[in-house]
Amino acid sequence: MQQNLNLYNTLTRKKEVFEPLHAPFVGMYVCGPTVYGEAHLGHARAYVTFDVLYRYLKYLKYKVRYVRNITDVGHLVNDADEGEDKIAKIAKIQHLEPMEVVQHFTNRFHEDMALLNILPPDIEPRASGHILEQIEMIQEILANGFAYEVNGSVYFDVPAYNKDHNYGKLSGRIIEDLLSNTRETEGQHEKRSPLDFALWKNASPEHIMRWPSPWGNGFPGWHLECSAMSRKYLGQTFDIHGGGLDLMFPHHECEIAQSQASNSKSDEAKYWVHNNMITINGQKMGKSLGNFITLSELFSGNKELLEQAYTPMTVRFFILQAHYRSTLDFSNEALQAARKGYTKLMNGLRVLEKMQYPEEGITPDEKLNEELLKLTEDCFRGLNDDMNTARTIASLFNLLKKINSLYLGQLQISHLTRGTFDTIRETYNTLVLDILGLKEEKLGDQAEMLELILSFYKEAKEAKAYDKVDAIRADLKKQGIVIKDLKTGIDWAYEE
RNA sequence: GGUAACGUGGCCGAGUGGCUAGGCUCAGCUCUGCAAAAGCUGCUACAGCGGUUCGAAUCCGCUCGUUACCUCCA
């Protein structure tokens, strides 16, 4: 089996074989949400993407430390330097403490993530809890000559940095181009260059969120928290830094600059991984465009754009059916199709559970075994090729066809070796449940009751009491269960 | 304006030089009391034009179209 994981590295613009810096340990940092609003479909895509990577790395037996932050300070509403703090703004409107806003949306975020079966990170640091580390990093950058203080604020000196370093190496920007295209924004009078960004901002009297620092009372710049916290928990250089494509510039570019300019002197991460955006009617979904769909709207169907509610697993499957570096277009049709595909995959789990390897009469068919084993390998091939979950799912469907054929007796289980049979079952279960992170959404402990109903159904069927048969079918259908009359007996499946 | 990316069949969405993507939809068949489920079969593709090549959806050029980033965003 091809067991080399290849990842596309934004920093080198190539797919590279993943090799940890200090195997078997892997450090992964993903930019978390700014908790000033409900999580939306775009958040789901980012965190599902890195959840699969996290799960897969663990499956590959790496000891992973996954850090995903909560941004609760420093993220400003407008142009990087003069805007209002996003959280403070909501707090003011709702007459709440900023930390109440933070706590509320952090809780909501966790709820949504749990519904999507996204594993919690190993460490979830908050920016406001790491002011000291951020101040320390600023002091290093100042001491190294890549920052300057003005009126209680500290700015990163991009031109000075760019003399010996390459500001723009991640996003492919050229500093001259950036300079010629910079917009005039307020507050630039303090900055020597429009490209400079804030490391520390002096807090105006009405600014509520403030901390003491060597430069007076203020608050840290947005880009700094990720550099400071990733260094604290993962070291100066770690393996994977992830986030949405929209964070590549300026956020991640600034992170690299900060880490290079501090005593870390590194690009932070060896592999920079970016997921693409969700679009709606071909246009990017985003806060600034106001066309985003929150997860709770999606789960409740409570929005004009939505024809119906979609379950968390439908959403997860929808996301996984595209490659993470492609844009993914939202539509009701696509979600509905995802629902059916997801259900089909779930029914496969149940079929596998029911199948048993026969005790005797084994007559292995070499060609068939080979064919089926190849199908199981294909499933991993997609994953290893830059986490192509779309290909993995396609391969799983190919495998599922064979599983269903075996179940129906169109293919004979006795023609498989024990090893092939076990490999099929293990591959399917592991990929669907553990790595893709899909799970059954219905039933649970009602399975026994269902068995009872099915036994009544069988009796009625044998007595040719078709009225009763149809009635049972109709009732179960209301519960999203369809009855299957097989030659070998009676079974059920989720309605697709 | 600068810099990138993309354009695949009714819809979504993989695929980067020759080998079936896959899902959904639609039609037919098998099975069935009738269905459903499942299996099998079929259907309409690679924006356009030109080039490289024995051979291109895949490489190159041009044209058209769409989008993203350059300002907060996953």
Side-chain angles (χ1 to χ4, degrees):
Chain A
M1 195 185 292
Q2 181 208 343
Q3 273 296 14
N4 279 337
L5 170 61
N6 285 266
L7 280 180
Y8 181 84
N9 189 351
T10 307
L11 204 51
T12 57
R13 288 162 206 288
K14 283 196 296 252
K15 276 187 204 170
E16 297 176 359
V17 177
F18 176 70
E19 283 168 0
L21 295 164
H22 311 288
F25 301 101
V26 172
M28 176 160 94
Y29 187 95
V30 173
C31 292
T34 301
V35 280
Y36 69 107
E38 289 280 319
H40 55 68
L41 192 50
H43 292 107
R45 185 172 203 197
Y47 304 125
V48 164
T49 297
F50 291 103
D51 184 52
V52 171
L53 182 55
Y54 179 45
R55 287 165 176 270
Y56 190 45
L57 289 169
K58 292 217 282 197
Y59 168 80
L60 294 175
K61 303 271 186 264
Y62 289 117
K63 297 189 188 315
V64 191
R65 180 180 291 165
Y66 177 22
V67 181
R68 190 184 64 204
N69 68 295
I70 294 281
T71 296
D72 59 358
V73 66
H75 206 155
L76 305 180
V77 175
N78 279 315
D79 307 284
D81 301 320
E82 276 309 300
E84 215 175 337
D85 185 284
K86 290 186 172 184
I87 286 151
K89 185 182 172 186
I90 306 277
K92 202 182 283 174
I93 293 169
Q94 309 215 352
H95 299 287
L96 295 169
E97 273 293 319
M99 280 301 139
E100 275 184 288
V101 175
V102 165
Q103 194 63 53
H104 173 74
F105 287 116
T106 301
N107 292 344
R108 283 289 305 117
F109 176 70
H110 286 156
E111 284 165 20
D112 285 339
M113 293 299 107
L115 284 171
L116 287 167
N117 206 24
I118 291 169
L119 297 174
D122 298 296
I123 302 177
E124 192 171 46
R126 289 184 180 189
S128 64
H130 296 76
I131 301 293
L132 289 179
E133 287 81 356
Q134 296 182 71
I135 288 174
E136 188 182 321
M137 202 158 193
I138 296 170
Q139 286 174 318
E140 290 172 27
I141 297 172
L142 273 169
N144 293 339
F146 297 115
Y148 53 91
E149 187 199 342
V150 185
N151 302 330
S153 294
V154 182
Y155 294 99
F156 190 95
D157 191 335
V158 172
Y161 170 79
N162 198 53
K163 277 181 200 152
D164 303 316
H165 299 79
N166 181 2
Y167 182 81
K169 68 195 289 185
L170 180 70
S171 55
R173 313 275 143 139
I174 297 159
I175 194 163
E176 287 76 18
D177 292 345
L178 287 171
L179 275 170
S180 64
N181 286 305
T182 315
R183 300 183 192 179
E184 287 299 317
T185 53
E186 284 178 48
Q188 283 193 355
H189 53 277
E190 280 188 355
K191 296 197 292 187
R192 293 181 194 166
S193 161
L195 295 184
D196 295 350
F197 54 91
L199 296 173
W200 187 266
K201 282 293 289 178
N202 177 39
S204 53
E206 67 273 17
H207 202 102
I208 343 173
M209 297 166 90
R210 48 168 66 211
W211 289 264
S213 81
W215 315 284
N217 285 343
F219 57 94
W222 174 45
H223 306 305
L224 191 60
E225 57 170 290
C226 291
S227 295
M229 295 192 292
S230 67
R231 182 168 80 174
K232 173 161 183 174
Y233 297 112
L234 297 171
Q236 296 183 343
T237 310
F238 52 93
D239 296 293
I240 300 169
H241 191 128
L245 197 60
D246 49 355
L247 296 181
M248 185 167 76
F249 187 90
H251 185 57
H252 291 162
E253 198 69 69
C254 293
E255 277 190 52
I256 289 182
Q258 287 164 162
S259 287
Q260 283 287 359
S262 75
N263 294 343
S264 294
K265 295 187 170 55
S266 90
D267 289 333
E268 268 186 40
K270 185 176 177 188
Y271 305 93
W272 284 80
V273 181
H274 291 98
N275 65 277
N276 215 319
M277 303 290 104
I278 299 260
T279 57
I280 293 185
N281 298 324
Q283 203 183 25
K284 178 183 157 181
M285 190 181 90
K287 286 245 159 104
S288 51
L289 293 165
N291 64 344
F292 61 93
I293 306 173
T294 68
L295 292 171
S296 64
E297 285 167 346
L298 218 41
F299 300 157
S300 67
N302 192 12
K303 192 180 175 82
E304 211 169 312
L305 192 63
L306 300 171
E307 285 171 14
Q308 60 173 92
Y310 301 100
T311 68
M313 285 302 112
T314 303
V315 173
R316 185 166 178 121
F317 185 88
F318 168 68
I319 289 167
L320 293 175
Q321 232 186 354
H323 186 226
Y324 76 92
R325 285 195 292 120
S326 303
T327 54
L328 173 58
D329 199 47
F330 165 87
S331 70
N332 283 286
E333 291 87 339
L335 262 303
Q336 282 153 8
R339 176 72 205 166
K340 295 200 175 189
Y342 157 74
T343 310
K344 199 171 198 169
L345 224 43
M346 286 302 107
N347 282 331
L349 290 175
R350 295 196 46 260
V351 165
L352 267 180
E353 209 172 291
K354 292 215 159 194
M355 283 201 307
Q356 287 200 339
Y357 192 71
E359 296 298 322
E360 42 193 59
I362 310 297
T363 50
D365 175 336
E366 205 175 310
K367 260 182 98 174
L368 182 64
N369 279 279
E370 225 172 86
E371 185 193 352
L372 292 184
L373 286 177
K374 190 187 169 296
L375 286 177
T376 62
E377 285 171 25
D378 283 346
C379 295
F380 283 98
R381 200 160 286 137
L383 260 189
N384 283 325
D385 184 13
D386 194 27
M387 280 211 294
N388 197 328
T389 51
R391 266 173 62 189
T392 293
I393 288 175
S395 302
L396 281 171
F397 277 119
N398 285 331
L399 187 61
L400 179 59
K401 272 192 184 178
K402 300 296 178 189
I403 291 170
N404 281 325
S405 293
L406 287 164
Y407 182 57
L408 290 179
Q410 290 163 340
L411 289 173
Q412 299 305 317
I413 301 180
S414 59
H415 289 170
L416 305 182
T417 64
R418 173 107 224 172
T420 304
F421 182 78
D422 289 343
T423 302
I424 290 172
R425 174 178 274 172
E426 205 181 297
T427 301
Y428 194 87
N429 284 333
T430 302
L431 277 169
V432 172
L433 297 171
D434 300 339
I435 299 176
L436 296 180
L438 296 165
K439 62 176 185 186
E440 294 204 26
E441 285 183 316
K442 294 187 203 160
L443 285 181
D445 49 357
Q446 291 171 25
E448 277 181 27
M449 184 60 80
L450 193 58
E451 290 304 319
L452 187 68
I453 294 169
L454 287 185
S455 72
F456 287 133
Y457 178 84
K458 195 175 170 204
E459 271 175 35
K461 192 93 197 271
E462 278 161 1
K464 296 196 195 284
Y466 292 125
D467 288 355
K468 206 180 236 175
V469 168
D470 290 342
I472 295 176
R473 265 192 210 158
D475 279 351
L476 280 181
K477 193 156 190 233
K478 281 185 203 155
Q479 312 289 320
I481 305 282
V482 289
I483 292 184
K484 306 199 288 187
D485 288 301
L486 307 173
K487 275 185 176 172
T488 49
I490 290 164
D491 196 7
W492 61 272
Y494 297 115
E495 189 183 11
E496 291 183 11

